[in-house]
Amino acid sequence: MRKYKNLFLGLLGVFALMTSCNNQGKSSSGGALGSNAADRVYVGPGEYDEFYAFFSGGYTGNLTVYGLPSGRMFKEIPVFSQFPTNGYGYSEETKPMLNTSFGFVPWDDSHHPDISQTNGELDGRWIFINGNNTPRIARIDLTTFETAEIIEVPNSAGNHSSSFITENTEYVVAGTRFAVPVPQRDMPIKDYKGNFKGALSFISVAPETGRMDIKFQLMMPGFNYDLSHPGRGKSHGWFFFTTYNTEEASTLLEVNASQNDKDFIAAVNWKKIEEYVNNGGGTMMPAEYAHNVYDDDTHMATSTMKKEVLTVDPTKVPGAVYFLPTPKSPHGCDVDPSGEYIVGNGKLSADLTVHSFTKMLAAIENEKFDGEAYGIPILKFEDVLAGVVSQPGLGPLHTEFDGKGNAYTTFFISSEVVKWKLGTWEVLDRQPSYYSVGHGMIPGGNSQKPFGKYFVSMNKITKDRYLPVGPEMEHSAQLYDISGDKMELLLDFPTHGEPHYAAAIPAEILMPKVKKIFKLSENKHPYAAITPNDTKLVRDGKVVHVYMSTIRSHFTPDNIEGIKVGDKVYFHVTNQEQDFDVPHGFAMIGATNAELLIAPGQTKTLLWEPKKVGVWPFYCTDFCSALHQEMQGYVRVSPANSDLELSWSLGED
Amino acid sequence: MRKYKNLFLGLLGVFALMTSCNNQGKSSSGGALGSNAADRVYVGPGEYDEFYAFFSGGYTGNLTVYGLPSGRMFKEIPVFSQFPTNGYGYSEETKPMLNTSFGFVPWDDSHHPDISQTNGELDGRWIFINGNNTPRIARIDLTTFETAEIIEVPNSAGNHSSSFITENTEYVVAGTRFAVPVPQRDMPIKDYKGNFKGALSFISVAPETGRMDIKFQLMMPGFNYDLSHPGRGKSHGWFFFTTYNTEEASTLLEVNASQNDKDFIAAVNWKKIEEYVNNGGGTMMPAEYAHNVYDDDTHMATSTMKKEVLTVDPTKVPGAVYFLPTPKSPHGCDVDPSGEYIVGNGKLSADLTVHSFTKMLAAIENEKFDGEAYGIPILKFEDVLAGVVSQPGLGPLHTEFDGKGNAYTTFFISSEVVKWKLGTWEVLDRQPSYYSVGHGMIPGGNSQKPFGKYFVSMNKITKDRYLPVGPEMEHSAQLYDISGDKMELLLDFPTHGEPHYAAAIPAEILMPKVKKIFKLSENKHPYAAITPNDTKLVRDGKVVHVYMSTIRSHFTPDNIEGIKVGDKVYFHVTNQEQDFDVPHGFAMIGATNAELLIAPGQTKTLLWEPKKVGVWPFYCTDFCSALHQEMQGYVRVSPANSDLELSWSLGED
């Protein structure tokens, strides 16, 4: 009943506001929330949003950047997927970014972004995100908003309990969702139980450069590892992972993985394991995984195939790993800003279970064990329990924190967000979500210092929230104001792809660091045309390199002759502009890749393999000046046996 | 001075409103426009936008769907580009959509959407859009919001003066931007003048099915054809195209194509040419171009390579084509709702030139010619001129109409939108745009019945309008309320890719027609698993077909054995759901294409070529139920020489 009463009071309040304030321009579509909500999400022309919010793209494989409170999308950053828009994954410089041990994999499923931290607070240097399908972790540079690095994660499958970072960005952590044979081998699927493994990977992040490297993989029992979060503050040095399918069923999991009354949260003392491996512990095993790095000076990516990985058997490091029994198929694993409370969102449980880090340490100290699983001690449920939020809703998935002692849990089945108090476990408020909320997000919610002004729900069912657009729809987010005692729903906004989780940061932290151009003087691309004098054509057998430059409003050269059918023509296009927001595009008719979108100071390369004789045009795709439509050129393609010399020109008819 | 005075009065008004109405929740980011603008663009949770707006994606190659007035993006419809999000261009069913005479072309540059019409009014059946780079026209079905058909345009290059439709959707018209040799041949670029051609293609649209076919190509002189619009009402039966580079320069066009004081608008009497070709006129010439059609029943596309095209020499059809001299390098070519006025937006001209259709007919009747170009009569400028808007701004690009006798022209260089009166040519109002506006759009603006409530400017420079996101940014649109005497800027909203033009339609026309599911009973996919009994595995040499079904929350089968290294495994996945908004996804680790996103009732196919032995997982990518995380399966891959039989199971451990 409580929620309806609140809704009624809320409506009364809005009504009072509307009658006392007769807004002339009030639209009929304003809805029950009226002008107050409209004002609070409106960011007028020329004004800025208060927060950057980074939403995972889910099955887009990318990361999108929104402003809050407006809900406007400012950018889609290509990460794991080909992006025809700017040629990512099509241009020669970026193809290596999508290399894996399986070959060129042009798509993934990105879930959980996390912003780098220093001393447990967001520092805004990088944002990390996982690819679930072909296990990978990416690092995005938050000065350029471009993907700087991707590392593949071997021995993993369905890289879901990822990517979460420790409070000084020591590690970005990636846990397998699916257990698999390690090493992979041809074996019956029904022999899964006891034979498959679950790898939890601790990937070190170099403090200055952000460069990633797999420090070690913890080879855990073959459960499904769903989500994870770092300890922080007092629990810094630990990492917590939810598990499900502790039944180790290998078929019809919707039935067979829901048998156990409790699954586990795995508590991993990574500092202890780090010490162990620093002292020579662990086993190096053969493994094949790609490490792809983009260099902002050469404007090029390189891909290196790594050949081994250090693995750790958790039973060999006493005191490093414990299981905390947690009802029931827990999904989200969330740690409050103080580091004391570990929330297990048991998606099939009636109650919400919260563990105490302090009690956990005491239970370990006092060896309050309830048996073991594959040699890993199971702590007694009652001895680690901090408290229970009683029957708060149906299907809890994830919990966020506002830094004021409150937690906000999303409920998929009862489709609502519930605010409750840490320590008293009292439910304080609830708001419906439209519909079936997955993750929620509070800016800085995964740090010691949340910015508890807004809560964003990421909803899984869109249905009738917007004008219908056919059987396939975008997902929907909702913005709630949580600055007061009660949550207030302000806005529905569609999101791109299927965002799972998001991370947000105050604009004032990030904005001053953002790059606007690349300096031409720092361009170290081997085929760059830094000045018009660098323009040239070089033939090497059937390979032709075109060192091309572009500046408003022409290409140099704009006419090329002597290309032959069967040639491989590499157009290396340098944008010589040094003004903000003057990209140029390069498109070639019939190219079987994409365009190039070239930022000021950058060089990018398109491979073109002409198959037909003729005179073929290229042009600039980005409307760059009043004479943009004049920015074009031609390539003459002669037969393969032609003896026409390579030549180029500009301005000589 | 006028615009500053208006701005000042506007500010005063807002100030009065703000002080008389003390909104408690007023955000500091509301800006000078205050709550009134906020209210007018706010579409509250659960409420609907008034208009659907379809924005071209520019270099995304796609089409995006927005709501107005909210500026929220509801969908990106993949058209000419691979779309990892749902597997378009990666799935076996959709790959044929991107086939061309150049091979598989996974990207394009989409510019000008236009909604189908009946009797000159928007009917909302289909929307057409052009691919500039590898010349193509696409038709999108507005019941499914999916690309239904793509036809390549031969003899064309830079398909820019496209795609605009006639008032009963008799034709969608596509004009080349770049002149090329026709047929293509190996010839010196400098011999362009007099030797290259410009093809204007009239593509018929079948009244019931929408099916496209090239009726004829008009082989015009080798100018650049920039934009076009149909005649309407009294001028129905004519089509108007702007030209530039009538100098026929082939290099450094930014200088050499700006020499002539006037270029032309080409007026084409397509009804006369239609009659000519219906009576056997024209020349069939060999040509190779793809025609790709998607079938909603089989859920599959087919690609057919066509072998010839009918061409028409304009000099062979007396009275069919005339040139209207138009200052200076005119960009947009816009026809008012009555069909009387043809606006030539001379981008390098001080004034805006408007031609009169009535005067044009009279001049033709009276043979008021000013010479000819390549055998095409040039009408006398003064005899076709309706009027001139004197010095309205710098760099006019495009003009839209509100249906109330007013025109709205965008000025790129002076960065503003100028409202003026048809007939009196008087400037009525002006508003700055931020920054450098290209096209503008009024819903229904390209029809006899515009819905003159909003004007949207599509701006080419974004710079500082939003939080910075690195050197590469989205473009920006601005929404103006034009229902009153003066335009009012309401909202800045970012757009996806580089929208050039847009088309919008009242929600009430489109909404009732939109499909929410595909009926499983109508699914004619040859590999569909309509019922669980249809599930099977079929091996044919190294090819394995998996007839797979999916329903909350499992795949059938979920375990597959007997697959071998080197096999080509086709997963044909049928979504057996029949509820709105319950798609399932299918992702396979290490696949070198993308995922499948399968709408209810649909079948889609992913090819997987396993290269390593092992036990490899697949899973559902769309969070479909509380047990979505349990929706997974494994494929056992044995060595190439294994004799393990193909087998599958579900629920049998």
Side-chain angles (χ1 to χ4, degrees):
Chain A
M1 271 310 290
R2 184 171 191 160
K3 72 174 162 183
Y4 297 109
K5 199 175 108 195
N6 287 343
L7 180 63
F8 183 61
L9 287 174
L11 284 171
L12 273 184
V14 170
F15 186 67
L17 188 77
M18 284 172 71
T19 46
S20 71
C21 166
N22 184 19
N23 272 326
Q24 294 301 317
K26 187 71 190 72
S27 149
S28 64
S29 66
L33 289 156
S35 63
N36 192 255
D39 282 348
R40 282 147 74 190
V41 301
Y42 181 69
V43 177
E47 302 286 332
Y48 291 145
D49 276 279
E50 193 176 343
F51 293 94
Y52 284 92
F54 298 87
F55 286 72
S56 74
Y59 41 62
T60 69
N62 295 335
L63 186 70
T64 48
V65 188
Y66 285 73
L68 297 180
S70 73
R72 296 176 299 178
M73 187 175 91
F74 299 145
K75 189 171 196 165
E76 180 173 3
I77 302 172
V79 183
F80 297 111
S81 293
Q82 285 185 309
F83 195 59
T85 298
N86 70 358
Y88 181 87
Y90 296 96
S91 66
E92 296 306 301
E93 289 81 0
T94 56
K95 279 183 192 169
M97 291 301 279
L98 303 183
N99 191 36
T100 76
S101 66
F102 297 89
F104 183 80
V105 174
W107 171 83
D108 218 310
D109 179 22
S110 64
H111 273 222
H112 309 118
D114 209 6
I115 296 169
S116 59
Q117 298 183 16
T118 302
N119 297 324
E121 297 183 13
L122 303 184
D123 62 28
R125 289 181 295 163
W126 309 299
I127 186 165
F128 298 85
I129 192 165
N130 59 323
N132 272 354
N133 185 53
T134 302
R136 292 177 275 185
I137 299 288
R139 178 173 58 86
I140 289 97
D141 183 330
L142 289 181
T143 64
T144 60
F145 285 61
E146 291 184 357
T147 303
E149 187 178 6
I150 293 178
I151 192 163
E152 191 180 350
V153 185
N155 299 322
S156 187
N159 174 35
H160 194 270
S161 44
S162 322
S163 55
F164 299 101
I165 56 116
T166 56
E167 73 177 32
N168 285 298
T169 320
E170 296 94 339
Y171 292 99
V172 52
V173 174
T176 201
R177 178 165 137 210
F178 309 121
V180 285
V182 177
Q184 271 286 9
R185 57 193 179 273
D186 178 23
M187 61 173 283
I189 299 167
K190 69 178 173 45
D191 294 344
Y192 173 128
K193 193 166 187 167
N195 290 310
F196 284 23
K197 289 285 177 193
L200 307 180
S201 304
F202 285 72
I203 301 168
S204 61
V205 179
E208 292 303 316
T209 62
R211 193 68 74 95
M212 298 186 286
D213 192 19
I214 301 180
K215 178 84 170 178
F216 61 86
Q217 291 195 308
L218 193 61
M219 287 299 164
M220 297 284 286
F223 310 148
N224 285 34
Y225 295 83
D226 212 2
L227 277 155
S228 70
H229 265 103
R232 55 178 59 98
K234 63 170 76 169
S235 54
H236 179 57
W238 290 77
F239 224 96
F240 302 95
F241 299 83
T242 42
T243 70
Y244 67 110
N245 192 24
T246 52
E247 298 85 351
E248 294 179 78
S250 61
T251 183
L252 201 60
L253 266 62
E254 71 176 311
V255 176
N256 296 324
S258 310
Q259 302 301 308
N260 290 349
D261 200 46
K262 292 192 179 66
D263 298 275
F264 301 123
I265 284 178
V268 175
N269 185 333
W270 59 260
K271 285 220 167 161
K272 200 177 272 280
I273 302 173
E274 181 183 64
E275 193 187 330
Y276 171 76
V277 303
N278 283 346
N279 289 321
T283 306
M284 199 62 86
M285 74 171 269
E288 198 185 20
Y289 57 104
H291 185 205
N292 310 327
V293 180
Y294 186 84
D295 182 320
D296 268 347
D297 292 330
T298 62
H299 300 287
M300 271 186 174
T302 50
S303 177
T304 310
M305 201 59 70
K306 305 199 78 160
K307 295 296 181 189
E308 53 181 21
V309 67
L310 186 65
T311 61
V312 172
D313 176 345
T315 65
K316 299 280 170 61
V317 196
V321 185
Y322 298 91
F323 285 136
L324 286 62
T326 306
K328 182 174 184 175
S329 296
H331 187 59
C333 181
D334 301 296
V335 180
D336 86 306
S338 76
E340 169 61 12
Y341 297 120
I342 303 121
V343 183
N345 303 266
K347 71 187 179 205
L348 304 177
S349 169
D351 303 327
L352 199 62
T353 303
V354 186
H355 299 298
S356 156
F357 178 72
T358 308
K359 285 189 173 182
M360 183 192 89
L361 287 189
I364 292 169
E365 179 76 20
N366 299 314
E367 300 189 346
K368 301 226 173 167
F369 300 142
D370 193 8
E372 59 167 51
Y374 294 102
I376 295 169
I378 301 170
L379 296 168
K380 277 195 181 145
F381 178 67
E382 295 74 14
D383 288 315
V384 295
L385 191 67
V388 164
V389 186
S390 258
Q391 305 200 334
L394 296 176
L397 293 186
H398 303 281
T399 300
E400 291 274 305
F401 308 93
D402 63 4
K404 303 168 196 161
N406 304 306
Y408 299 75
T409 299
T410 57
F411 291 84
F412 179 83
I413 296 172
S414 54
S415 197
E416 58 189 334
V417 181
V418 175
K419 176 182 178 180
W420 51 274
K421 195 154 189 61
L422 288 161
T424 72
W425 325 119
E426 181 196 4
V427 169
L428 302 175
D429 191 22
R430 60 178 69 243
Q431 276 286 336
S433 70
Y434 305 100
Y435 303 92
S436 300
V437 56
H439 277 271
M441 184 274 289
I442 291 172
N446 183 28
S447 76
Q448 287 193 50
K449 190 186 164 191
F451 302 87
K453 181 170 180 184
Y454 297 115
F455 180 93
V456 177
S457 71
M458 282 152 266
N459 305 321
K460 295 303 176 189
I461 309 283
T462 303
K463 262 194 321 205
D464 52 11
R465 299 306 289 175
Y466 308 109
L467 294 177
V469 289
E472 211 180 287
M473 281 174 292
E474 294 284 32
H475 283 219
S476 185
Q478 294 186 291
L479 181 76
Y480 302 83
D481 184 329
I482 58 166
S483 59
D485 285 345
K486 299 295 176 186
M487 293 179 273
E488 294 176 83
L489 174 60
L490 298 181
L491 181 70
D492 276 34
F493 63 99
T495 51
H496 203 40
E498 192 216 10
H500 284 260
Y501 196 31
I505 183 169
E508 62 191 10
I509 297 178
L510 217 50
M511 213 172 148
K513 304 179 184 180
V514 178
K515 250 188 204 177
K516 296 183 173 170
I517 62 164
F518 297 101
K519 286 189 186 157
L520 198 56
S521 58
E522 293 172 2
N523 181 326
K524 296 189 172 59
H525 192 293
Y527 295 98
I530 306 292
T531 74
N533 292 339
D534 299 327
T535 300
K536 59 184 171 182
L537 305 187
V538 177
R539 177 181 282 284
D540 177 11
K542 286 189 173 299
V543 170
V544 177
H545 292 282
V546 181
Y547 295 65
M548 182 179 272
S549 72
T550 168
I551 196 157
R552 283 163 287 182
S553 298
H554 61 272
F555 294 99
T556 311
D558 72 354
N559 282 337
I560 297 172
E561 302 207 346
I563 301 295
K564 302 173 203 173
V565 169
D567 280 348
K568 281 174 179 288
V569 184
Y570 291 90
F571 293 99
H572 308 285
V573 188
T574 301
N575 182 348
Q576 294 182 343
E577 309 282 353
Q578 291 286 268
D579 287 341
F580 182 31
D581 202 13
V582 190
H584 289 291
F586 176 82
M588 184 75 224
I589 191 170
T592 53
N593 28 41
E595 72 148 0
L596 301 174
L597 185 64
I598 313 139
Q602 214 176 25
T603 303
K604 284 188 175 175
T605 301
L606 190 81
L607 169 61
W608 182 55
E609 302 182 75
K611 294 182 185 71
K612 306 181 199 181
V613 299
V615 180
W616 304 103
F618 58 86
Y619 68 99
C620 174
T621 53
D622 192 278
F623 207 103
C624 55
S625 76
L627 290 164
H628 159 73
Q629 288 294 88
E630 280 71 10
M631 198 164 165
Q632 63 171 79
Y634 288 104
V635 179
R636 175 183 178 184
V637 178
S638 301
N641 60 1
S642 163
D643 54 9
L644 192 67
E645 283 296 307
L646 215 49
S647 68
W648 64 270
S649 63
L650 171 72
E652 303 144 28
D653 241 341
Chain B
M1 272 312 290
R2 183 171 190 159
K3 73 174 161 180
Y4 298 109
K5 197 177 108 195
N6 288 342
L7 181 63
F8 183 62
L9 288 173
L11 284 171
L12 273 184
V14 170
F15 186 69
L17 188 77
M18 284 172 74
T19 46
S20 71
C21 168
N22 183 19
N23 273 327
Q24 294 300 317
K26 187 72 191 67
S27 149
S28 64
S29 64
L33 289 156
S35 64
N36 192 255
D39 282 347
R40 282 147 73 189
V41 301
Y42 182 69
V43 177
E47 303 285 331
Y48 291 145
D49 276 280
E50 194 176 342
F51 293 94
Y52 283 91
F54 298 87
F55 286 73
S56 74
Y59 40 63
T60 69
N62 295 334
L63 186 70
T64 49
V65 188
Y66 284 74
L68 298 181
S70 74
R72 297 175 300 178
M73 186 176 90
F74 299 145
K75 189 171 196 164
E76 180 172 2
I77 302 172
V79 183
F80 297 112
S81 293
Q82 286 185 309
F83 195 60
T85 298
N86 70 359
Y88 181 87
Y90 296 97
S91 66
E92 296 305 300
E93 289 82 359
T94 55
K95 279 182 194 169
M97 291 301 279
L98 303 183
N99 191 36
T100 75
S101 67
F102 297 90
F104 183 80
V105 174
W107 171 83
D108 216 310
D109 179 21
S110 63
H111 273 222
H112 309 119
D114 209 6
I115 296 170
S116 59
Q117 298 183 15
T118 302
N119 298 324
E121 297 183 14
L122 303 185
D123 63 29
R125 290 181 295 164
W126 309 299
I127 186 164
F128 298 85
I129 193 164
N130 59 323
N132 271 355
N133 186 54
T134 302
R136 291 177 276 185
I137 298 288
R139 178 174 58 86
I140 289 98
D141 183 330
L142 288 181
T143 64
T144 60
F145 285 61
E146 291 184 357
T147 303
E149 188 178 5
I150 293 178
I151 193 162
E152 192 180 349
V153 185
N155 298 323
S156 188
N159 174 36
H160 194 271
S161 44
S162 322
S163 54
F164 299 101
I165 56 118
T166 56
E167 73 176 32
N168 285 298
T169 320
E170 296 95 338
Y171 292 98
V172 53
V173 173
T176 202
R177 179 166 137 209
F178 309 121
V180 285
V182 177
Q184 271 286 9
R185 57 192 179 276
D186 178 22
M187 61 174 283
I189 300 167
K190 68 177 173 47
D191 294 345
Y192 172 129
K193 193 166 185 167
N195 291 310
F196 283 23
K197 290 284 176 192
L200 307 180
S201 304
F202 284 72
I203 301 168
S204 61
V205 179
E208 292 302 316
T209 62
R211 193 67 73 97
M212 297 186 286
D213 192 20
I214 300 179
K215 178 85 171 179
F216 62 86
Q217 291 195 309
L218 193 62
M219 286 299 164
M220 297 283 286
F223 309 148
N224 284 32
Y225 295 84
D226 211 3
L227 276 155
S228 70
H229 265 103
R232 55 178 59 99
K234 62 171 77 169
S235 54
H236 178 58
W238 289 77
F239 224 95
F240 303 93
F241 298 82
T242 42
T243 69
Y244 68 109
N245 192 23
T246 52
E247 298 86 351
E248 295 179 79
S250 61
T251 184
L252 201 59
L253 265 63
E254 72 175 311
V255 176
N256 297 324
S258 310
Q259 302 302 308
N260 290 349
D261 200 46
K262 292 193 180 66
D263 298 276
F264 302 123
I265 284 178
V268 175
N269 185 334
W270 58 261
K271 283 219 167 161
K272 200 178 271 279
I273 302 174
E274 181 183 65
E275 194 187 328
Y276 171 75
V277 304
N278 283 345
N279 289 322
T283 305
M284 198 63 86
M285 74 171 269
E288 197 185 19
Y289 56 104
H291 184 205
N292 310 328
V293 179
Y294 187 84
D295 182 320
D296 267 347
D297 292 331
T298 62
H299 300 287
M300 271 187 174
T302 50
S303 178
T304 311
M305 201 59 68
K306 305 200 77 161
K307 296 296 181 191
E308 53 181 22
V309 68
L310 186 66
T311 60
V312 172
D313 176 345
T315 64
K316 300 281 170 62
V317 195
V321 185
Y322 298 90
F323 284 135
L324 286 63
T326 307
K328 181 174 185 180
S329 297
H331 186 59
C333 181
D334 300 297
V335 181
D336 87 306
S338 75
E340 169 61 13
Y341 298 119
I342 303 121
V343 183
N345 303 266
K347 70 187 178 204
L348 304 177
S349 169
D351 303 327
L352 199 62
T353 304
V354 185
H355 299 298
S356 156
F357 178 72
T358 308
K359 286 189 173 181
M360 183 192 89
L361 287 188
I364 293 169
E365 181 76 22
N366 300 314
E367 300 189 346
K368 301 229 174 165
F369 301 143
D370 193 8
E372 57 167 52
Y374 294 102
I376 295 169
I378 302 170
L379 296 169
K380 278 198 181 141
F381 177 67
E382 296 72 15
D383 287 314
V384 295
L385 191 68
V388 164
V389 186
S390 259
Q391 306 199 334
L394 297 176
L397 292 186
H398 304 281
T399 300
E400 291 274 305
F401 308 94
D402 64 4
K404 303 168 197 162
N406 303 306
Y408 299 73
T409 300
T410 57
F411 291 84
F412 178 84
I413 297 172
S414 55
S415 198
E416 59 188 334
V417 181
V418 175
K419 176 181 178 180
W420 51 274
K421 194 153 190 64
L422 288 161
T424 71
W425 325 120
E426 178 196 4
V427 170
L428 303 174
D429 191 22
R430 60 178 69 241
Q431 276 286 337
S433 71
Y434 304 99
Y435 303 93
S436 300
V437 56
H439 278 272
M441 185 273 290
I442 291 172
N446 183 28
S447 76
Q448 287 194 49
K449 190 186 163 191
F451 302 87
K453 182 169 179 183
Y454 297 115
F455 180 93
V456 177
S457 71
M458 281 152 266
N459 305 322
K460 295 304 176 189
I461 309 284
T462 304
K463 262 196 318 203
D464 53 10
R465 300 305 289 176
Y466 309 109
L467 293 176
V469 290
E472 210 180 288
M473 280 174 292
E474 294 283 33
H475 284 220
S476 185
Q478 294 186 290
L479 181 76
Y480 301 83
D481 184 329
I482 57 166
S483 59
D485 286 344
K486 299 293 176 187
M487 294 179 274
E488 294 176 82
L489 174 59
L490 299 180
L491 180 70
D492 276 33
F493 63 99
T495 51
H496 203 41
E498 193 216 9
H500 284 260
Y501 196 32
I505 182 169
E508 61 192 12
I509 298 178
L510 217 50
M511 213 172 148
K513 304 177 184 182
V514 178
K515 251 189 203 178
K516 295 183 174 170
I517 62 164
F518 297 101
K519 287 189 184 157
L520 198 56
S521 59
E522 293 172 2
N523 181 326
K524 296 190 172 58
H525 193 293
Y527 294 97
I530 305 293
T531 74
N533 292 339
D534 299 327
T535 300
K536 61 185 171 183
L537 305 187
V538 177
R539 177 181 282 283
D540 178 12
K542 285 189 173 300
V543 170
V544 177
H545 292 283
V546 181
Y547 295 64
M548 183 179 272
S549 72
T550 167
I551 196 157
R552 283 164 289 183
S553 299
H554 62 270
F555 294 99
T556 311
D558 73 354
N559 281 337
I560 297 172
E561 301 208 345
I563 301 295
K564 301 172 204 174
V565 169
D567 280 348
K568 282 175 178 289
V569 184
Y570 291 89
F571 293 99
H572 308 285
V573 188
T574 302
N575 181 349
Q576 294 182 343
E577 309 282 354
Q578 291 285 269
D579 287 341
F580 182 32
D581 203 13
V582 190
H584 289 292
F586 177 82
M588 184 76 223
I589 190 169
T592 53
N593 28 41
E595 72 149 0
L596 301 174
L597 185 64
I598 313 140
Q602 214 175 27
T603 303
K604 284 188 175 175
T605 301
L606 190 80
L607 169 61
W608 182 55
E609 302 182 76
K611 293 181 185 71
K612 306 181 200 181
V613 299
V615 180
W616 302 104
F618 57 86
Y619 69 97
C620 173
T621 53
D622 192 278
F623 207 103
C624 55
S625 76
L627 291 165
H628 158 72
Q629 288 295 87
E630 280 72 10
M631 197 162 166
Q632 64 171 78
Y634 287 104
V635 179
R636 176 183 177 184
V637 178
S638 301
N641 61 1
S642 163
D643 54 8
L644 192 68
E645 282 296 308
L646 214 49
S647 68
W648 65 269
S649 62
L650 171 72
E652 303 145 28
D653 242 339

